[in-house]
Amino acid sequence: MTADRMLTVEEAQEIVLDSVSVSGIERVPLAESLGRVLAEDVAPRFDVPPHDNSSVDGYAVRAADTAGASGDAPCRLGVLEDIPAGTVPSRKVGTGNASRIMTGAFLPEGADAVVMVENTKQRDDGVEILKAVEQGQNVRYRGEDVKQGQRVLFGGAVIGPGEIGLLAAFQRSQVAVRRRPAVAILSTGDEVVELDEKLVPGKIVNSNSYSLAALVRECNGRPVNLGIARDSEPEIAKAIRSTLSADVVLSTGGVSVGDYDYVKKVLEDLGADMRFWRVKMKPGKPLAYGLLQGKPFFGLPGNPVSCMVSFLLFARPAVRKMMGYGPHDWHLPAVPAILENDLTAGGDRRHYLRARVTRTGGRFHASTVAGQGSGMLSSMTGTNGLVIVETGITSVSRGSEVKVLLMGAVGQAAP
Ligand code: AMP
Ligand code: MG
């Protein structure tokens, strides 16, 4: 059923998120798993670290032998062998003896501590210990990081550099993760030309396909650029049919009420289950959403800023849900911030104003940029936040607290 009423952003987001489900599972090489969501629980098949080892360069000893040792009263021990990292000791350390050991090397049997080389003096017939050690000092025990069979990573975890390191330590060369949705991107418009086409009067360059592909990649989806369809029903229908192998479809343009806005009509003719086509927001009021053969189809507005903001508010959460992220990771993070300038808004719908957000003294500060038109693509550069101004509010003064959605990382303000 198409909602003719103009929906609030939250209503529209709920409809979108309820209509998509988590993608299936695939196995990928570990090195390609960054940012993916784990689809299995993981435990190592061996203890990590796999053997007791030394955390310093020095001498493996029996701690009791060093009791009372100091610079003034060193204790003298015989040296049995050298144990470089990667080798296995051949001698057991008995009372009165030590073995020279390197960082990471296997702790020899009999030893229960390591004296740092800085606290020793090498002698022709052995070594002088200048500082006593406790049992266990400078020893990293087998399995102290993770025990064999101990589950430490769970399905649903987002794989970051730490997870990749740990999986490598477990010798996992492949991991099961949620599939990355293939996201087809289709621009529409008779006026739109490609990057390498001649820009003749009346035409504009296709920026939407590129900004969208980058947004898709940023949330770890797989963008598939399907180029530009001209403003004719048959051409748009043909182009939309060609998107059906994708998991998600994004089109841009042709969704408002102009004479050449055919996207909605074509979707309906193709039997799409349309859910809504307008959202009460600026930029980005026209936004057609429906399921075409069960797959989410976002008819995004053509205006370059509306297109990007609509993606961030509606398509990004859907892609992230499909990729297996948990509900807390679906939406852009919202934070309170101090507004650094006066601003005005139309009051007729919720506004999302592009802003530079910094952090000073533990608080976020937001400065909206000049040029907030939906075609002002420059407002999407150098900005990392969207200041929200609710319906009914026509001005907000400097110093007020506002809600900001973060589109990117926040740095400290320049001093
Ligand atoms: P439409 O929604 O088709 O009426 O387009 C709205 C505005 O967005 C018009 O000014 C279009 O020229 C512009 N536009 C549409 N598609 C693109 C595109 N792919 N790249 C940049 N601007 C576009
Ligand atoms: Mg158009």
Side-chain angles (χ1 to χ4, degrees):
M1 179 212 70
T2 313
D4 277 341
R5 187 169 58 86
M6 217 193 301
L7 300 182
T8 65
V9 169
E10 284 75 14
E11 287 170 331
Q13 284 173 329
E14 195 179 328
I15 290 173
V16 169
L17 284 163
D18 281 350
S19 70
V20 300
S21 42
V22 181
S23 304
I25 294 170
E26 64 178 353
R27 292 180 73 76
V28 297
L30 178 64
E32 286 162 31
S33 67
L34 184 66
R36 306 292 293 274
V37 176
L38 201 57
E40 57 174 329
D41 296 346
V42 184
R45 283 176 284 104
F46 47 83
D47 288 327
V48 178
H51 48 80
D52 295 350
N53 67 93
S54 175
S55 65
V56 295
D57 294 324
Y59 289 85
V61 298
R62 297 165 86 99
D65 284 358
T66 70
S70 70
D72 295 336
C75 83
R76 195 172 279 248
L77 301 172
V79 176
L80 299 170
E81 62 175 338
D82 257 17
I83 315 169
T87 64
V88 178
S90 59
R91 309 278 306 270
K92 179 175 169 176
V93 175
T95 305
N97 280 325
S99 285
R100 220 167 135 246
I101 191 166
M102 308 304 144
T103 305
F106 205 124
L107 192 76
E109 209 188 316
D112 57 12
V114 179
V115 184
M116 294 171 75
V117 72
E118 292 85 337
N119 296 331
T120 65
K121 209 176 263 172
Q122 203 172 343
R123 295 288 179 206
D124 285 346
D125 56 343
V127 62
E128 274 181 9
I129 306 297
L130 310 177
K131 197 169 175 195
V133 282
E134 307 269 304
Q135 229 180 55
Q137 204 170 326
N138 301 324
V139 175
R140 298 186 289 216
Y141 288 103
R142 171 180 176 159
E144 78 172 20
D145 193 358
V146 187
K147 300 237 170 332
Q148 177 186 358
Q150 181 189 352
R151 287 191 301 170
V152 282
L153 294 174
F154 298 91
V158 179
I159 301 178
E163 284 74 13
I164 290 190
L166 195 60
L167 288 159
F170 296 173
Q171 261 190 342
R172 288 292 304 265
S173 54
Q174 303 247 318
V175 280
V177 294
R178 293 284 160 190
R179 281 184 48 238
R180 300 164 68 194
V183 183
I185 299 169
L186 175 67
S187 280
T188 71
D190 283 342
E191 77 281 31
V192 187
V193 299
E194 259 314 336
L195 302 189
D196 53 359
E197 277 180 76
K198 195 167 163 51
L199 188 63
V200 295
K203 307 290 182 187
I204 54 143
V205 183
N206 174 15
S207 57
N208 291 347
S209 294
Y210 297 90
S211 56
L212 284 176
L215 286 166
V216 168
R217 207 166 293 129
E218 202 172 54
C219 63
N220 248 325
R222 271 189 303 133
V224 183
N225 186 350
L226 296 179
I228 305 163
R230 297 298 156 211
D231 286 325
S232 86
E233 282 187 38
E235 199 173 320
I236 290 175
K238 187 170 156 221
I240 289 181
R241 271 192 229 103
S242 77
T243 64
L244 285 171
S245 56
D247 302 301
V248 177
V249 185
L250 309 175
S251 70
T252 84
V255 284
S256 41
V257 290
D259 288 346
Y260 298 92
D261 290 338
Y262 296 126
V263 172
K264 280 181 314 194
K265 163 132 197 338
V266 170
L267 282 171
E268 272 158 7
D269 290 349
L270 290 174
D273 171 8
M274 295 310 293
R275 300 294 172 89
F276 59 83
W277 56 280
R278 282 182 309 165
V279 183
K280 213 168 166 188
M281 60 185 271
K282 185 182 174 159
K285 177 170 71 173
L287 169 64
Y289 179 73
L291 297 174
L292 182 59
Q293 298 194 0
K295 292 181 188 162
F297 188 109
F298 296 85
L300 301 172
N303 276 310
V305 179
S306 312
C307 169
M308 291 184 76
V309 171
S310 304
F311 176 91
L312 289 169
L313 294 180
F314 304 100
R316 179 182 180 275
V319 170
R320 288 170 75 85
K321 178 176 179 184
M322 293 170 82
M323 284 200 51
Y325 286 90
H328 295 296
D329 287 327
W330 292 346
H331 296 290
L332 295 174
V335 297
I338 306 296
L339 188 63
E340 293 290 294
N341 52 281
D342 293 332
L343 60 80
T344 56
D348 53 329
R349 26 187 172 134
R350 183 190 284 173
H351 284 36
Y352 290 90
L353 303 176
R354 278 76 68 209
R356 292 195 183 91
V357 183
T358 54
R359 199 175 181 140
T360 344
R363 303 209 65 165
F364 291 103
H365 296 259
S367 311
T368 59
V369 295
Q372 293 280 341
S374 355
M376 305 281 267
L377 203 42
S378 57
S379 72
M380 290 300 287
T381 65
T383 49
N384 53 353
L386 295 170
V387 167
I388 296 180
V389 183
E390 293 295 351
T391 309
I393 295 181
T394 51
S395 68
V396 187
S397 40
R398 181 179 176 185
S400 311
E401 188 176 284
V402 287
K403 182 168 155 185
V404 183
L405 300 183
L406 297 179
M407 303 188 279
V410 178
Q412 296 288 121

